[in-house]
Amino acid sequence: MTLIKISTRLALENLSIADIDSNTALFEGGLGLDSIDALELGVAVRKKYQLKISSEQEDVSKIFTSVSSLAAYLKSVLPASASAQSVC
């Protein structure tokens, strides 16, 4: 999932792609995303990769810390062929 797709999916109108560093926190002081945005990101991941990231997962907050952490998680759990589909 690219920064462009995340930006488009979440309608981050006040930010351009250049404003988003892949290590910037998605929540709490970073981009300031909220729980609705988290849900939208989860749905986008499920649709694109057929992978559900449960809110009950122990490491869910770590997975959604930043674009980089989400990309690293996806690369670690998806088969190599799916990971090659622009995960980061």
Side-chain angles (χ1 to χ4, degrees):
M1 178 159 287
T2 65
L3 286 174
I4 293 169
K5 289 179 184 174
I6 289 172
S7 176
T8 302
R9 173 63 109 182
L10 299 177
L12 299 175
E13 297 167 0
N14 298 336
L15 295 173
S16 71
I17 300 306
D19 295 331
I20 304 172
D21 180 272
S22 62
N23 293 310
T24 299
L26 294 175
F27 304 92
E28 299 179 20
L31 295 178
L33 302 184
D34 60 21
S35 59
I36 300 298
D37 295 321
L39 180 62
E40 289 182 18
L41 271 177
V43 169
V45 167
R46 188 173 359 164
K47 284 182 177 180
K48 173 117 175 121
Y49 301 107
Q50 293 74 49
L51 174 71
K52 182 178 181 186
I53 302 173
S54 171
S55 61
E56 303 297 318
Q57 276 183 241
E58 185 175 304
D59 58 349
V60 71
S61 62
K62 182 179 177 186
I63 293 168
F64 286 103
T65 298
S66 67
V67 173
S68 294
S69 63
L70 178 57
Y73 174 76
L74 292 173
K75 285 180 181 179
S76 75
V77 298
L78 294 174
S81 60
S83 293
Q85 298 178 20
S86 69
V87 169
C88 44

Coordinates of all heavy atoms in Angstrom, one line a residue:
M1 N 0.9 -1.2 0.0 CA 0.0 0.0 0.0 C 0.9 1.2 0.0 O 1.8 1.4 0.9 CB -0.9 -0.1 1.3 CG -1.8 1.1 1.4 SD -3.1 0.7 2.5 CE -4.0 -0.4 1.5
T2 N 0.7 2.1 -1.0 CA 1.6 3.2 -1.1 C 1.1 4.4 -0.3 O -0.1 4.4 0.1 CB 1.8 3.6 -2.6 OG1 0.5 4.0 -3.0 CG2 2.3 2.4 -3.4
L3 N 2.0 5.4 -0.1 CA 1.5 6.6 0.5 C 0.4 7.3 -0.3 O -0.5 7.9 0.3 CB 2.7 7.6 0.6 CG 3.8 7.3 1.7 CD1 4.9 8.2 1.5 CD2 3.2 7.3 3.0
I4 N 0.5 7.2 -1.6 CA -0.6 7.8 -2.4 C -1.9 7.2 -2.1 O -2.9 7.8 -1.9 CB -0.2 7.7 -3.9 CG1 1.0 8.6 -4.2 CG2 -1.4 8.1 -4.8 CD1 1.6 8.4 -5.6
K5 N -1.9 5.8 -2.0 CA -3.2 5.1 -1.8 C -3.7 5.4 -0.4 O -4.9 5.5 -0.2 CB -3.0 3.6 -2.0 CG -2.8 3.3 -3.5 CD -2.6 1.8 -3.6 CE -2.3 1.5 -5.1 NZ -1.9 0.1 -5.3
I6 N -2.8 5.5 0.6 CA -3.2 5.8 2.0 C -3.8 7.2 2.0 O -4.8 7.5 2.6 CB -2.0 5.7 2.9 CG1 -1.7 4.2 3.1 CG2 -2.4 6.3 4.3 CD1 -0.5 3.9 3.9
S7 N -3.1 8.1 1.4 CA -3.6 9.5 1.3 C -4.9 9.6 0.7 O -5.8 10.3 1.2 CB -2.5 10.4 0.6 OG -3.0 11.7 0.5
T8 N -5.1 9.0 -0.4 CA -6.4 9.0 -1.2 C -7.5 8.3 -0.4 O -8.6 8.8 -0.2 CB -6.2 8.3 -2.5 OG1 -5.2 8.9 -3.3 CG2 -7.5 8.3 -3.3
R9 N -7.2 7.1 0.2 CA -8.1 6.4 0.9 C -8.7 7.2 2.2 O -9.8 7.1 2.5 CB -7.5 5.0 1.4 CG -8.4 4.2 2.3 CD -9.6 3.8 1.6 NE -9.6 2.4 1.4 CZ -10.5 1.8 0.7 NH1 -11.6 2.4 0.3 NH2 -10.4 0.5 0.5
L10 N -7.8 7.9 2.8 CA -8.1 8.6 4.0 C -8.5 10.0 3.7 O -8.8 10.8 4.7 CB -7.0 8.5 5.1 CG -6.6 7.1 5.5 CD1 -5.5 7.2 6.5 CD2 -7.8 6.4 6.2
A11 N -8.5 10.5 2.5 CA -8.8 11.8 2.1 C -8.0 12.8 2.9 O -8.6 13.7 3.5 CB -10.3 12.1 2.2
L12 N -6.7 12.7 3.0 CA -5.9 13.6 3.7 C -5.7 14.9 2.8 O -4.6 15.1 2.3 CB -4.5 12.9 4.0 CG -4.6 11.7 4.9 CD1 -3.2 11.1 5.0 CD2 -5.2 12.0 6.2
E13 N -6.7 15.7 2.8 CA -6.7 16.8 1.9 C -5.7 17.9 2.3 O -5.3 18.7 1.5 CB -8.1 17.4 1.9 CG -9.1 16.4 1.3 CD -10.5 16.8 1.5 OE1 -10.8 17.9 2.1 OE2 -11.4 16.1 1.1
N14 N -5.4 18.0 3.6 CA -4.5 19.1 4.0 C -3.0 18.7 3.9 O -2.2 19.5 4.2 CB -4.8 19.4 5.5 CG -6.2 19.9 5.7 OD1 -6.8 20.5 4.8 ND2 -6.7 19.8 6.9
L15 N -2.8 17.5 3.5 CA -1.4 17.0 3.3 C -1.1 16.5 1.9 O -2.0 15.9 1.3 CB -1.1 15.8 4.3 CG -1.2 16.1 5.8 CD1 -1.1 14.8 6.5 CD2 -0.1 17.0 6.2
S16 N 0.1 16.8 1.5 CA 0.5 16.2 0.2 C 1.4 15.0 0.5 O 1.8 14.8 1.7 CB 1.3 17.2 -0.6 OG 2.6 17.4 0.0
I17 N 1.6 14.2 -0.5 CA 2.5 13.0 -0.3 C 3.9 13.4 0.2 O 4.4 12.8 1.1 CB 2.6 12.2 -1.6 CG1 1.2 11.7 -2.1 CG2 3.6 11.0 -1.4 CD1 0.5 11.0 -1.0
A18 N 4.4 14.6 -0.2 CA 5.7 15.0 0.2 C 5.7 15.4 1.7 O 6.8 15.4 2.3 CB 6.1 16.3 -0.6
D19 N 4.5 15.7 2.3 CA 4.5 16.0 3.7 C 4.5 14.8 4.6 O 4.7 14.9 5.8 CB 3.1 16.8 4.0 CG 3.1 18.1 3.3 OD1 4.1 18.7 3.1 OD2 1.9 18.5 3.0
I20 N 4.3 13.6 4.0 CA 4.2 12.4 4.9 C 5.5 11.6 4.8 O 5.8 11.1 3.7 CB 3.0 11.5 4.4 CG1 1.7 12.3 4.4 CG2 2.9 10.3 5.3 CD1 0.6 11.6 3.8
D21 N 6.2 11.5 5.9 CA 7.4 10.7 5.9 C 6.9 9.3 6.3 O 6.0 9.1 7.2 CB 8.3 11.2 7.0 CG 9.6 10.4 7.2 OD1 9.5 9.4 7.9 OD2 10.6 10.7 6.5
S22 N 7.5 8.2 5.8 CA 7.0 6.9 6.1 C 7.2 6.5 7.5 O 6.6 5.5 8.0 CB 7.7 5.9 5.1 OG 9.1 5.9 5.3
N23 N 8.0 7.2 8.3 CA 8.2 6.9 9.7 C 7.4 7.8 10.6 O 7.5 7.6 11.8 CB 9.7 7.0 10.0 CG 10.5 5.9 9.3 OD1 10.2 4.8 9.4 ND2 11.6 6.3 8.6
T24 N 6.6 8.7 10.0 CA 5.8 9.6 10.9 C 4.7 8.7 11.5 O 4.1 7.9 10.9 CB 5.1 10.7 10.0 OG1 6.2 11.5 9.4 CG2 4.2 11.6 10.8
A25 N 4.4 9.0 12.8 CA 3.3 8.3 13.4 C 2.0 8.6 12.7 O 1.7 9.7 12.3 CB 3.3 8.7 14.9
L26 N 1.2 7.5 12.6 CA -0.1 7.7 12.0 C -1.1 8.3 12.9 O -2.0 9.0 12.5 CB -0.6 6.3 11.5 CG 0.2 5.6 10.4 CD1 -0.4 4.3 10.1 CD2 0.2 6.5 9.1
F27 N -0.9 8.0 14.2 CA -1.8 8.5 15.2 C -1.1 9.3 16.3 O 0.1 9.5 16.1 CB -2.5 7.3 15.9 CG -3.2 6.4 15.0 CD1 -2.6 5.3 14.4 CD2 -4.5 6.6 14.6 CE1 -3.2 4.5 13.5 CE2 -5.2 5.8 13.7 CZ -4.5 4.7 13.1
E28 N -1.7 9.8 17.2 CA -1.1 10.5 18.4 C 0.0 11.4 18.0 O 1.2 11.0 18.2 CB -0.7 9.5 19.5 CG -1.9 8.7 20.0 CD -1.5 7.6 21.0 OE1 -0.4 7.8 21.6 OE2 -2.3 6.7 21.2
G29 N -0.2 12.5 17.6 CA 0.8 13.5 17.4 C 1.5 13.5 16.0 O 2.1 14.4 15.6
G30 N 1.3 12.4 15.3 CA 1.8 12.3 13.9 C 0.9 12.9 12.9 O 0.6 14.1 12.9
L31 N 0.3 12.1 12.1 CA -0.7 12.5 11.2 C -2.0 12.8 11.8 O -2.9 13.4 11.2 CB -0.9 11.5 10.0 CG 0.3 11.2 9.1 CD1 0.0 10.2 8.1 CD2 0.7 12.5 8.5
G32 N -2.2 12.4 13.0 CA -3.4 12.6 13.8 C -4.6 11.8 13.3 O -5.7 12.3 13.4
L33 N -4.4 10.6 12.8 CA -5.5 9.8 12.3 C -6.3 9.4 13.5 O -5.8 9.3 14.7 CB -5.0 8.6 11.6 CG -4.1 8.9 10.4 CD1 -3.8 7.5 9.7 CD2 -4.8 9.8 9.4
D34 N -7.6 9.0 13.3 CA -8.5 8.6 14.4 C -8.9 7.2 14.2 O -8.5 6.5 13.3 CB -9.6 9.6 14.5 CG -10.5 9.6 13.3 OD1 -10.5 8.7 12.5 OD2 -11.2 10.6 13.2
S35 N -9.8 6.7 15.0 CA -10.3 5.3 15.0 C -11.0 5.0 13.6 O -10.9 3.9 13.1 CB -11.2 5.0 16.1 OG -12.3 5.8 16.2
I36 N -11.7 6.0 13.1 CA -12.4 5.7 11.8 C -11.3 5.6 10.7 O -11.5 4.7 9.8 CB -13.3 6.9 11.4 CG1 -14.4 7.1 12.5 CG2 -13.9 6.8 10.1 CD1 -15.3 5.9 12.7
D37 N -10.2 6.3 10.8 CA -9.2 6.2 9.8 C -8.5 4.8 9.9 O -8.2 4.2 8.9 CB -8.1 7.3 10.0 CG -8.6 8.7 9.7 OD1 -9.4 8.8 8.8 OD2 -8.3 9.6 10.5
A38 N -8.3 4.4 11.2 CA -7.8 3.0 11.4 C -8.6 2.0 10.8 O -8.1 1.0 10.2 CB -7.6 2.8 12.9
L39 N -9.9 2.1 11.0 CA -10.9 1.1 10.4 C -10.8 1.2 8.8 O -10.7 0.1 8.2 CB -12.3 1.5 10.8 CG -13.4 0.6 10.3 CD1 -13.2 -0.8 10.7 CD2 -14.7 1.1 10.7
E40 N -10.7 2.4 8.3 CA -10.5 2.5 6.8 C -9.3 1.9 6.3 O -9.2 1.2 5.3 CB -10.6 3.9 6.4 CG -12.0 4.5 6.5 CD -12.1 5.9 6.0 OE1 -11.2 6.4 5.3 OE2 -13.1 6.6 6.4
L41 N -8.2 2.1 7.0 CA -6.9 1.4 6.7 C -7.0 -0.1 6.7 O -6.5 -0.8 5.8 CB -5.8 1.9 7.6 CG -5.0 3.1 7.2 CD1 -4.0 3.4 8.3 CD2 -4.3 3.0 5.9
G42 N -7.6 -0.6 7.8 CA -7.8 -2.0 7.9 C -8.7 -2.6 6.8 O -8.3 -3.7 6.2
V43 N -9.7 -1.9 6.4 CA -10.5 -2.4 5.3 C -9.7 -2.3 4.0 O -9.8 -3.3 3.2 CB -11.8 -1.5 5.2 CG1 -12.6 -1.7 3.8 CG2 -12.7 -1.7 6.3
A44 N -8.9 -1.3 3.8 CA -8.1 -1.2 2.6 C -7.1 -2.4 2.5 O -6.9 -2.9 1.4 CB -7.4 0.1 2.5
V45 N -6.5 -2.7 3.6 CA -5.6 -3.8 3.7 C -6.3 -5.1 3.3 O -5.8 -6.0 2.6 CB -4.9 -3.9 5.0 CG1 -4.1 -5.2 5.2 CG2 -3.9 -2.7 5.2
R46 N -7.5 -5.3 3.9 CA -8.2 -6.5 3.7 C -8.6 -6.6 2.2 O -8.5 -7.7 1.6 CB -9.5 -6.6 4.6 CG -10.2 -7.9 4.5 CD -11.3 -8.0 5.4 NE -11.5 -6.9 6.3 CZ -12.6 -6.6 7.0 NH1 -13.6 -7.5 6.9 NH2 -12.7 -5.6 7.7
K47 N -9.1 -5.5 1.6 CA -9.5 -5.6 0.2 C -8.3 -5.8 -0.7 O -8.4 -6.6 -1.7 CB -10.2 -4.3 -0.2 CG -11.6 -4.2 0.3 CD -12.2 -2.9 -0.2 CE -13.6 -2.8 0.3 NZ -14.3 -1.5 -0.1
K48 N -7.2 -5.2 -0.5 CA -6.0 -5.3 -1.4 C -5.3 -6.6 -1.2 O -4.9 -7.2 -2.2 CB -5.0 -4.1 -1.1 CG -3.7 -4.3 -1.8 CD -3.5 -3.2 -2.8 CE -2.1 -3.3 -3.4 NZ -2.2 -3.4 -4.8
Y49 N -5.1 -7.1 0.0 CA -4.3 -8.3 0.3 C -5.1 -9.5 0.8 O -4.5 -10.5 1.2 CB -3.2 -7.9 1.3 CG -2.3 -6.8 0.7 CD1 -2.4 -5.5 1.3 CD2 -1.4 -7.0 -0.3 CE1 -1.6 -4.5 0.8 CE2 -0.6 -6.0 -0.8 CZ -0.7 -4.7 -0.3 OH 0.1 -3.7 -0.8
Q50 N -6.4 -9.4 1.0 CA -7.2 -10.4 1.6 C -6.6 -10.8 2.9 O -6.5 -12.0 3.3 CB -7.3 -11.6 0.7 CG -8.1 -11.4 -0.6 CD -7.4 -10.6 -1.6 OE1 -6.2 -10.9 -1.9 NE2 -8.0 -9.6 -2.2
L51 N -6.2 -9.9 3.7 CA -5.6 -10.1 5.0 C -6.4 -9.2 6.1 O -6.4 -8.0 5.9 CB -4.2 -9.7 5.0 CG -3.4 -9.7 6.3 CD1 -3.2 -11.2 6.7 CD2 -2.1 -9.0 6.2
K52 N -6.9 -9.9 7.1 CA -7.6 -9.1 8.2 C -6.6 -8.9 9.3 O -6.0 -9.9 9.8 CB -8.8 -9.9 8.6 CG -9.5 -9.1 9.7 CD -10.8 -9.8 10.1 CE -11.5 -9.0 11.2 NZ -12.6 -9.6 11.8
I53 N -6.4 -7.7 9.7 CA -5.6 -7.3 10.9 C -6.7 -7.1 12.0 O -7.3 -6.0 12.0 CB -4.7 -6.1 10.7 CG1 -3.8 -6.4 9.5 CG2 -3.9 -5.8 11.9 CD1 -2.9 -5.2 9.1
S54 N -6.8 -8.0 12.9 CA -7.8 -7.9 14.0 C -7.4 -6.9 15.0 O -6.2 -6.8 15.4 CB -8.0 -9.2 14.6 OG -8.8 -9.1 15.8
S55 N -8.4 -6.1 15.5 CA -8.1 -5.2 16.6 C -7.7 -5.9 17.9 O -7.2 -5.3 18.8 CB -9.3 -4.3 16.8 OG -10.4 -5.0 17.2
E56 N -8.0 -7.2 17.9 CA -7.7 -8.0 19.1 C -6.2 -8.5 19.1 O -5.7 -9.1 20.1 CB -8.6 -9.2 19.2 CG -10.1 -8.9 19.2 CD -10.4 -8.1 20.4 OE1 -10.0 -8.4 21.5 OE2 -11.2 -7.1 20.3
Q57 N -5.5 -8.3 17.9 CA -4.1 -8.8 17.9 C -3.3 -8.0 18.9 O -3.4 -6.8 19.0 CB -3.6 -8.5 16.5 CG -3.9 -9.6 15.5 CD -3.3 -9.3 14.1 OE1 -4.0 -9.2 13.2 NE2 -1.9 -9.2 14.0
E58 N -2.4 -8.7 19.5 CA -1.6 -8.1 20.5 C -0.7 -7.0 20.0 O -0.5 -6.0 20.7 CB -0.6 -9.3 21.1 CG 0.2 -8.9 22.2 CD 1.0 -10.0 22.8 OE1 0.3 -11.1 23.1 OE2 2.2 -9.9 22.8
D59 N -0.3 -7.1 18.8 CA 0.7 -6.1 18.2 C 0.0 -5.1 17.3 O 0.7 -4.4 16.5 CB 1.8 -6.8 17.5 CG 1.3 -7.8 16.4 OD1 0.1 -8.0 16.3 OD2 2.2 -8.2 15.6
V60 N -1.3 -5.0 17.3 CA -2.0 -4.1 16.4 C -1.6 -2.7 16.4 O -1.4 -2.0 15.4 CB -3.6 -4.3 16.5 CG1 -4.1 -3.6 17.8 CG2 -4.3 -3.7 15.3
S61 N -1.3 -2.2 17.6 CA -0.8 -0.8 17.7 C 0.5 -0.6 17.1 O 0.9 0.4 16.5 CB -0.9 -0.3 19.1 OG 0.0 -1.0 20.0
K62 N 1.4 -1.6 17.2 CA 2.7 -1.6 16.6 C 2.6 -1.6 15.1 O 3.3 -0.9 14.4 CB 3.6 -2.7 17.2 CG 5.0 -2.7 16.6 CD 5.8 -3.9 17.2 CE 7.2 -3.9 16.6 NZ 7.9 -5.0 17.0
I63 N 1.7 -2.5 14.6 CA 1.5 -2.6 13.1 C 1.1 -1.2 12.5 O 1.7 -0.8 11.5 CB 0.5 -3.6 12.8 CG1 1.0 -5.0 13.2 CG2 0.1 -3.6 11.3 CD1 -0.1 -6.1 13.2
F64 N 0.2 -0.5 13.2 CA -0.3 0.7 12.7 C 0.5 2.0 13.2 O -0.1 3.1 13.2 CB -1.8 0.9 13.0 CG -2.6 0.0 12.1 CD1 -3.1 -1.2 12.5 CD2 -2.8 0.3 10.8 CE1 -3.9 -2.0 11.7 CE2 -3.6 -0.5 9.9 CZ -4.1 -1.6 10.4
T65 N 1.7 1.8 13.7 CA 2.5 2.9 14.2 C 2.8 3.9 13.1 O 2.6 5.1 13.3 CB 3.8 2.4 14.9 OG1 3.4 1.6 15.9 CG2 4.6 3.6 15.3
S66 N 3.2 3.4 12.0 CA 3.6 4.3 10.8 C 3.4 3.6 9.5 O 3.1 2.4 9.5 CB 5.1 4.7 11.0 OG 5.9 3.5 10.8
V67 N 3.6 4.3 8.4 CA 3.5 3.6 7.1 C 4.6 2.5 7.0 O 4.3 1.4 6.6 CB 3.7 4.7 6.0 CG1 3.8 4.0 4.6 CG2 2.5 5.6 6.0
S68 N 5.8 2.8 7.5 CA 6.9 1.9 7.5 C 6.5 0.6 8.3 O 6.8 -0.5 7.8 CB 8.1 2.5 8.1 OG 8.6 3.5 7.3
S69 N 5.9 0.8 9.5 CA 5.6 -0.4 10.3 C 4.5 -1.3 9.6 O 4.6 -2.5 9.7 CB 5.3 0.0 11.7 OG 4.1 0.8 11.7
L70 N 3.6 -0.6 9.0 CA 2.5 -1.3 8.3 C 3.1 -2.1 7.1 O 2.8 -3.3 6.9 CB 1.4 -0.4 7.9 CG 0.2 -1.0 7.1 CD1 -0.4 -2.1 7.9 CD2 -0.8 0.1 6.7
A71 N 4.0 -1.4 6.4 CA 4.6 -2.1 5.2 C 5.5 -3.3 5.7 O 5.4 -4.3 5.0 CB 5.4 -1.1 4.4
A72 N 6.2 -3.1 6.8 CA 7.1 -4.2 7.3 C 6.2 -5.4 7.7 O 6.6 -6.5 7.4 CB 7.9 -3.7 8.4
Y73 N 5.1 -5.1 8.4 CA 4.2 -6.2 8.8 C 3.7 -6.9 7.6 O 3.7 -8.2 7.5 CB 3.0 -5.6 9.6 CG 2.0 -6.7 9.9 CD1 2.3 -7.6 10.9 CD2 0.8 -6.8 9.2 CE1 1.3 -8.6 11.2 CE2 -0.1 -7.7 9.5 CZ 0.2 -8.7 10.5 OH -0.8 -9.7 10.8
L74 N 3.2 -6.2 6.6 CA 2.6 -6.8 5.4 C 3.7 -7.7 4.7 O 3.4 -8.8 4.3 CB 2.1 -5.8 4.4 CG 0.8 -5.0 4.9 CD1 0.4 -3.9 4.0 CD2 -0.4 -6.0 5.1
K75 N 4.9 -7.1 4.6 CA 5.9 -7.9 3.9 C 6.3 -9.2 4.7 O 6.6 -10.2 4.1 CB 7.2 -7.1 3.8 CG 7.1 -6.0 2.7 CD 8.4 -5.2 2.6 CE 8.2 -4.2 1.5 NZ 9.4 -3.3 1.4
S76 N 6.1 -9.1 6.0 CA 6.4 -10.3 6.9 C 5.4 -11.4 6.8 O 5.7 -12.6 7.0 CB 6.7 -9.9 8.3 OG 5.4 -9.6 9.0
V77 N 4.1 -11.0 6.5 CA 3.0 -12.0 6.5 C 2.5 -12.4 5.2 O 1.8 -13.5 5.1 CB 1.9 -11.6 7.4 CG1 2.3 -11.4 8.9 CG2 1.2 -10.4 6.9
L78 N 2.8 -11.7 4.2 CA 2.3 -12.0 2.8 C 3.3 -12.8 2.1 O 4.5 -12.7 2.2 CB 2.0 -10.7 2.0 CG 0.9 -9.8 2.6 CD1 0.9 -8.5 1.8 CD2 -0.4 -10.5 2.5
P79 N 2.8 -13.7 1.2 CA 3.7 -14.4 0.3 C 4.6 -13.4 -0.6 O 4.1 -12.3 -0.8 CB 2.8 -15.2 -0.6 CG 1.5 -15.1 0.0 CD 1.4 -13.9 0.9
A80 N 5.7 -13.8 -1.0 CA 6.6 -12.9 -1.7 C 5.9 -12.3 -3.0 O 6.2 -11.2 -3.3 CB 7.9 -13.7 -2.1
S81 N 5.1 -13.1 -3.6 CA 4.4 -12.5 -4.8 C 3.5 -11.4 -4.5 O 3.4 -10.4 -5.2 CB 3.6 -13.6 -5.6 OG 2.6 -14.2 -4.7
A82 N 2.8 -11.5 -3.4 CA 1.9 -10.4 -2.9 C 2.7 -9.2 -2.4 O 2.3 -8.1 -2.6 CB 0.9 -10.9 -1.9
S83 N 3.8 -9.5 -1.8 CA 4.6 -8.4 -1.2 C 5.2 -7.6 -2.3 O 5.5 -6.4 -2.1 CB 5.8 -9.0 -0.4 OG 5.3 -9.6 0.8
A84 N 5.4 -8.1 -3.5 CA 6.0 -7.4 -4.6 C 5.0 -6.4 -5.2 O 5.3 -5.6 -6.0 CB 6.4 -8.4 -5.7
Q85 N 3.7 -6.5 -4.8 CA 2.7 -5.6 -5.3 C 2.7 -4.2 -4.5 O 1.7 -3.8 -4.0 CB 1.3 -6.2 -5.1 CG 1.1 -7.4 -5.9 CD -0.3 -8.0 -5.6 OE1 -1.2 -7.2 -5.2 NE2 -0.5 -9.2 -5.9
S86 N 3.8 -3.5 -4.5 CA 3.9 -2.2 -3.9 C 3.3 -2.2 -2.5 O 2.4 -1.4 -2.2 CB 3.3 -1.1 -4.7 OG 1.9 -1.3 -4.8
V87 N 3.9 -2.9 -1.6 CA 3.4 -2.9 -0.2 C 3.8 -1.6 0.5 O 3.1 -1.1 1.3 CB 4.0 -4.1 0.6 CG1 3.8 -4.0 2.1 CG2 3.4 -5.4 0.1
C88 N 5.0 -1.1 0.2 CA 5.4 0.1 0.9 C 5.0 1.4 0.2 O 4.4 1.4 -0.7 CB 6.9 0.1 1.2 SG 7.9 -0.4 -0.2

